[in-house]
Amino acid sequence: MRNHKNDHPYKIINHDFNLFDNTDWTAKEELALLNGLLNYGNWQSILKQSTVLSHRSVDELKQHYDHYYLEKAGSDQFPNIELQENVQYKPLMPYRFKTNEVPDPIRGDDNVYAGYSAARSDFEYDYDKNAEDMVAKLDSLNPSDADYALLSNLQVGILNAYRRRQGERQRRKAVIREHGLIMPQKTKSWLQRYYTTITPMVCDKLTRFMQFYTGQKFVYLMEGLHRIGELKLQTSRLIEYRRHGICTLQEAKLYLRLKKHREACMKDLKRFQQASELSFKYKQPVSLNVGVKRRGLTPLDIVGLPGYEKITTNERDLCRTIRLSPDNYLDLKQILIQENNKLGYLKLLTARRLLKIDVNKTRKLYDFLISEGQIVPKVND
């Protein structure tokens, strides 16, 4: 290319020209669309953030991008885009195991799951096992010429009902095989992976929808929700760091190390203050030797756990101390408050019967709710 000189001809080009043929989209709009896809990846967000495309609709964006970019109508030099179905994903647990790595289910009538027999590699007891009774004596009907049409329609109706029951039986078999429910212990251990982010209660509700998914697609759903929970956890930690003025990774590591050291010191100080030898009611000579230290439980790190943003600062300290997750604390708190509102008061014995958790945790939770004024103890309690 020759060097440009001041006497060479030139032409001023702005963004207000059509980049592709047979379209009213300008180059400025094309650039805004591509930048929006890179920055947001969401059609609604692109329209909301871009003033250039504010007069367009979501359908227009989708159709224009599919036709001119994905289908290469704008230029044959665009790269080929493979369909999503051709993308190979790495299977996740419990579907990542090869056949020779998966042990057979436990054999025996008392240990089979859903009637599955490992020796037969099939189900010993089918769902709706009495369905065949409908057609067992179907050939015994001998209609005369007068009622032939009526009984023929009746036979067809019985066969259709039997076919529907057979279809439901096969559907249940497919669900059990597809989702690895023949080995329930392995499936349950796989679901525990999501307990810290999705929570056990939500996992139990989501498993009801497994019948509408293939096994791999259900794993993708769970992994997506799990990733959201991890991002939420990381975001909560970043918020905590920025609240304390921390802006670098080195400062964050130092903060965590000092925080852990401070919690250990506070635990030792609390144990020292609770020593009976230091109480004014203790009549024996005061001794600074408080005996052997009891090693308490390490405070639970609840930052970013489900329900963390719904509880107050005092409640967070309580959850860390007694090692309760925020969502579990909110459930237990709701149970106690409902019982208190029903009776007008709440006894400690009743709280222990309702919660069915460690008695020390129940006592601390009970005393905390009393101090917060959310429940009222019985006078003689």
Side-chain angles (χ1 to χ4, degrees):
M1 182 180 293
R2 298 180 301 171
N3 295 329
H4 180 73
K5 297 182 180 180
N6 57 3
D7 59 342
H8 286 170
Y10 64 91
K11 182 180 179 181
I12 298 177
I13 300 178
N14 53 25
H15 292 83
D16 298 329
F17 66 94
N18 295 336
L19 187 61
F20 303 130
D21 297 333
N22 301 323
T23 179
D24 60 343
W25 282 60
T26 63
K28 187 176 182 180
E29 292 176 310
E30 301 283 357
L31 185 61
L33 173 63
L34 297 178
N35 287 333
L37 288 173
L38 289 175
N39 295 329
Y40 308 108
N42 180 276
W43 303 111
Q44 295 288 353
S45 299
I46 294 173
L47 289 179
K48 184 178 179 181
Q49 301 295 332
S50 177
T51 57
V52 178
L53 300 173
S54 58
H55 63 288
R56 301 287 183 181
S57 65
V58 173
D59 292 336
E60 287 183 274
L61 265 63
K62 291 181 180 179
Q63 294 173 5
H64 183 81
Y65 183 75
D66 291 344
H67 181 67
Y68 285 95
Y69 292 94
L70 297 185
E71 298 176 6
K72 304 173 63 174
S75 173
D76 57 358
Q77 297 183 2
F78 287 151
N80 294 323
I81 305 298
E82 296 182 0
L83 296 178
Q84 189 71 12
E85 289 76 12
N86 296 332
V87 179
Q88 298 296 326
Y89 295 96
K90 181 181 179 181
L92 301 173
M93 184 178 180
Y95 309 99
R96 66 185 180 190
F97 296 97
K98 297 181 181 178
T99 304
N100 57 1
E101 295 176 348
V102 180
D104 287 337
I106 302 176
R107 303 192 180 192
D109 295 338
D110 297 334
N111 295 320
V112 294
Y113 185 77
Y116 181 81
S117 173
R120 293 180 53 193
S121 186
D122 201 353
F123 293 88
E124 188 74 28
Y125 308 105
D126 286 329
Y127 170 77
D128 196 6
K129 60 182 180 181
N130 297 322
E132 284 72 16
D133 295 344
M134 300 179 61
V135 296
K137 299 181 179 180
L138 195 61
D139 56 351
S140 63
L141 299 176
N142 295 316
S144 62
D145 294 338
D147 56 358
Y148 179 80
L150 176 62
L151 290 181
S152 295
N153 292 333
L154 177 61
Q155 289 176 338
V156 172
I158 293 175
L159 287 175
N160 289 334
Y162 173 69
R163 186 180 61 181
R164 288 194 296 269
R165 295 171 72 172
Q166 280 282 81
E168 177 64 18
R169 178 186 296 172
Q170 296 302 321
R171 187 187 71 85
R172 290 174 178 257
K173 284 185 177 182
V175 170
I176 292 174
R177 284 196 174 109
E178 179 68 26
H179 294 279
L181 299 181
I182 294 175
M183 294 170 290
Q185 297 300 327
K186 186 177 292 295
T187 303
K188 290 179 180 178
S189 63
W190 163 69
L191 286 175
Q192 291 177 359
R193 160 185 169 83
Y194 308 110
Y195 282 0
T196 57
T197 53
I198 308 179
T199 72
M201 182 178 65
V202 178
C203 285
D204 293 340
K205 292 183 178 179
L206 288 175
T207 52
R208 303 173 187 175
F209 299 95
M210 293 174 68
Q211 57 182 317
F212 304 112
Y213 287 82
T214 62
Q216 198 171 37
K217 287 185 177 180
F218 184 76
V219 173
Y220 294 154
L221 171 65
M222 299 296 289
E223 283 294 318
L225 296 176
H226 178 64
R227 181 55 180 164
I228 292 174
E230 289 181 335
L231 292 175
K232 185 178 179 181
L233 174 63
Q234 296 175 5
T235 302
S236 300
R237 293 188 182 278
L238 290 175
I239 292 174
E240 182 185 10
Y241 295 155
R242 294 305 300 268
R243 187 183 297 116
H244 293 84
I246 299 173
C247 301
T248 63
L249 291 177
Q250 291 76 10
E251 293 175 348
K253 293 179 181 179
L254 178 60
Y255 167 76
L256 292 177
R257 186 165 63 251
L258 294 177
K259 180 181 178 182
K260 184 177 180 180
H261 179 68
R262 180 180 181 275
E263 290 176 351
C265 293
M266 293 299 296
K267 188 192 304 182
D268 292 340
L269 178 61
K270 185 176 180 180
R271 188 187 303 113
F272 182 80
Q273 292 174 345
Q274 292 177 349
S276 59
E277 289 85 348
L278 301 179
S279 174
F280 67 92
K281 298 180 180 180
Y282 191 70
K283 297 181 179 180
Q284 297 296 330
V286 177
S287 175
L288 294 179
N289 185 12
V290 295
V292 180
K293 295 182 179 180
R294 294 179 57 187
R295 186 171 183 177
L297 296 176
T298 305
L300 179 65
D301 186 7
I302 63 172
V303 176
L305 292 183
Y308 176 78
E309 66 280 356
K310 298 179 182 179
I311 59 178
T312 63
T313 303
N314 293 336
E315 290 174 331
R316 292 172 183 175
D317 293 337
L318 175 69
C319 292
R320 276 193 289 264
T321 304
I322 64 178
R323 297 184 61 82
L324 271 180
S325 62
D327 59 333
N328 192 14
Y329 161 77
L330 291 173
D331 294 338
L332 300 178
K333 171 186 171 182
Q334 185 66 22
I335 293 174
L336 296 183
I337 291 178
Q338 289 179 353
E339 185 69 17
N340 177 81
N341 296 337
K342 185 188 303 182
L343 302 176
Y345 62 88
L346 184 64
K347 298 175 63 176
L348 176 60
L349 184 61
T350 305
R352 289 174 176 170
R353 176 176 56 82
L354 292 173
L355 301 187
K356 297 180 181 180
I357 59 175
D358 182 74
V359 293
N360 295 324
K361 291 185 178 181
T362 304
R363 179 73 198 199
K364 292 180 180 179
L365 178 59
Y366 178 80
D367 293 340
F368 175 78
L369 294 179
I370 291 177
S371 64
E372 294 289 322
Q374 301 188 31
I375 63 174
V376 179
K378 193 174 181 181
V379 178
N380 297 329
D381 193 12

